[in-house]
Amino acid sequence: MPVTHKTLVKSKQGSNAQSQQKPLAAKTAKVVSKKKDEDDGTEIGEGGDEWMHGKTLIKPPDQLDLTEAELKEEFTRILTANNPHAPQNIVRYSFKERSYKPISSVDQLAVHFFLEGNLLHRDSDEARRQKAKQGLPDEKATVVTETEDEKLETPLQAAGGEEAGDVEEGGGEDGAHSVDSKTGKKEQKLTNQFNFSERASQTLNNPLRERGCQTEPPPRASFSATANQWEIYDVYLEEMQKQEKNKEKAKAVPKKEDDKGKKKLTLVETQSDDLTKVAKVAKIIERMVNQNTFDDIAQDFRYFEDASDEFREQEGTLLPLWKFQYDQAKRLSVTALCWNQSYKDLFAVGLGSYDFTKQGRGMLVFYSLKNSTYPEYNYPTTSGILCLDIHPDRPYLVAVGFYDGCVAVYNLKEERPEPVYKSSSKSGKHTDPVWQVRWQKDDMDNHQNFFSVSSDGRVVSWTLVKSELVFTDIIKLSLVGAVSEGPEGVPPPTMACGTSFDFHKQINYLFLVGTEEGKIHKCSKAYSSQFLETYDAHNMAVDAVKWNQFHPKVFISCSSDWTVKIWDHTIRTPVFIFDLNAAVGDVAWSPYSSTVFAAVTADGKVHVFDLGINKYEAICQQPVVAKKKTKLTHIEFNPVYPIIIVGDDRGYVTSLKLSPNLRSKPKWGRKKLDIQFSGIHYYPPSFLFLRKTG
Amino acid sequence: MAEVEETLKRIQTHKGVIGTIVVNAEGIPIRTTLDNSTTVQYAGLLHQLTMKARSTVRDIDPQNDLTFLRIRSKKHEIMVAPDKEYMLIVIQNPSE
């Protein structure tokens, strides 16, 4: 702007005249000329003033010659913002008017300086991108970019001045980083902008090694159990037992020393053979197997009732059930039968021989109805058994009378085959076969005792005292009647031979003895030498005499003289006499009726009588053994079930079921019987009839 | 000891009995009259069944206990008598 040329001025004047307003033009001209003048003036003024005084105006040769008036003419000069270099007469061809037309406005912009800068607006996209990259907050972004250029230059120079080499590069980078860091977060350390260097070094990384160690796992065992109600119960039971044992131990402390020795023994014993523990189970199985085999018999035993009895008015039948036989007892005959009072299916069989010439061994055998093939217990004996009795209260005690005159007591609980007690010649055994034994009630010392009767004429009472049998002669049977003198003055035998006896059910001291001579004596325990009564019963030996279980006055007797007689003990003659056409082996009253009894004969028949139904004849006469030669020797009624067991001389025991007609209960107030049985009818006191107990 | 042997022998020779097996508490047969595979099969199966039956009976009344178990099939009857330590199995043909 300050540099203006004269020529320009002139041109301007000329151009301005057209394009611009006159005053403006005038002004510019004035301005220009004034400027020029001023310039001249100043130039000249400063040094020219002095010069002007000295010199006269030098006129250039091409200066205009102007008149005074022209010289005084005022030219106005205007200072405008117009670009002097801008063209003022741009013309454009207008196709509309088909002529050149000057453009009204001309761009007056004059660019004096242009420099590409690095500034970015903070909100622009690029700036945002950079921010994101650097991760710097927005506010500082502009600062960064501003100073970046300068900073870059200065650190480089500084670095180059300081240290050479590797530091430079690092320094440069670090410089930038430091800038970044500086302007970044507040936590970052403040570093010197100009003189900062950061060193880092890395240690050697140790190679990684993995090391493991494993211990042996603890021994494991899997455990499983169930917790049922019964398992818990079992545990409780065990606990209780332990506690009880502890209590006992506490009480029995002083006795411990003696027991120690025994304890050791017991411990060793428990390691016995395996199979002995199977015994109980084996027994059960055997019974089950037998039940299967004899299933029909078992069913009959339980349920069969002979329907034809309805058609037979008075008669009845006997249904054969099980047959019990033991191999080793084949040649022996059944000499005694006894039902166990507590275990209704258990009965004892005494085996021996009635034959005088064939005396040998004997056997005591127990059978159960549940197993008919093999006995539950069996005890072989040296001498034939002639009688036995099971204790009513203690079902494990069995009293046995032998043919050799001994008596013995067996304890079924014990394992050994010998009797617990046995009488010997020292201890007052009989000198003749013992025909009958009977348990009595315990005496006052709570010792068990039983009676025995033998052919030697003695009725002896035996008491079990600890481990011995103590005997007491109760009565000696003396011969009653005519004493005939034997030949040559030999004194006749004074003792009668007792062959059977029975104790009264209610009156304890009263008992009956049957003798070989055929007499029955009524005796009392109190009187040892005298009989209360004597009955001329039979012509031959009295094989059995039995009190009636209900009627207190009636008893029955049987003999080999083919007769069965019923007596009232107040009358010396029999009330009833039955002839059975064969030697009668045994007779028994029934446990359910006072008028029913059964008898067995040597021809293999069983006769059942019911005096309430038929007084003169048997209501049942039935052969029960196959071979006719076999003699039936004994008969017993089961106390609960409607069966009877019959023993014969071949060693077999047959069980038979009584048909309903044979089991009829006695009726009240039978006039006919009242005549014979003076007194009141006795009815079975507590009678559990059969089917309930099964 | 001899008694038990005798009893077992009697059972084996009883009419209609096909076989007997004695099994211990773990279900392992100790004694048998049948062939091995049959024995093992019977022992294993019946042991479980007996345990189950026993558990049932005792669950209902802990003071009760199983005495024996009979399984009657068309062909024969299997009888099991359990015990604390042993179990006896008998197979019988009852109709013979």
Side-chain angles (χ1 to χ4, degrees), chain A residues 229 234 286 290-291 293, chain B residues 10 14 58-59 63 70 81:
Chain A
Q229 193 182 2
D234 276 347
E286 201 188 349
N290 272 308
Q291 188 183 2
T293 315
Chain B
R10 261 183 281 130
H14 198 92
R58 294 208 74 198
D59 254 349
Q63 291 179 327
R70 280 181 194 258

Side-chain angles (χ1 to χ4, degrees), chain A residues 228-230 233-234 273-277 279 281-282 284-286 288-293 373-374, chain B residues 1 4-7 10-11 14-15 55 58-59 62-63 68 70 77 79 81 83 85-86 88 90 92:
Chain A
N228 287 328
Q229 193 182 2
W230 55 269
Y233 176 80
D234 276 347
D273 207 328
D274 283 339
L275 272 183
T276 48
K277 291 163 195 169
V281 187
I284 296 175
I285 277 273
E286 201 188 349
M288 288 166 74
V289 167
N290 272 308
Q291 188 183 2
N292 269 345
T293 315
T373 54
Y374 195 75
Chain B
M1 169 64 184
V4 178
E5 290 276 358
E6 256 194 57
T7 313
R10 261 183 281 130
I11 296 170
H14 198 92
K15 196 176 84 167
S55 180
R58 294 208 74 198
D59 254 349
Q63 291 179 327
F68 59 80
R70 280 181 194 258
E77 180 161 340
M79 291 175 277
D83 189 41
E85 297 179 21
Y86 292 91
L88 204 58
V90 171
Q92 187 189 21

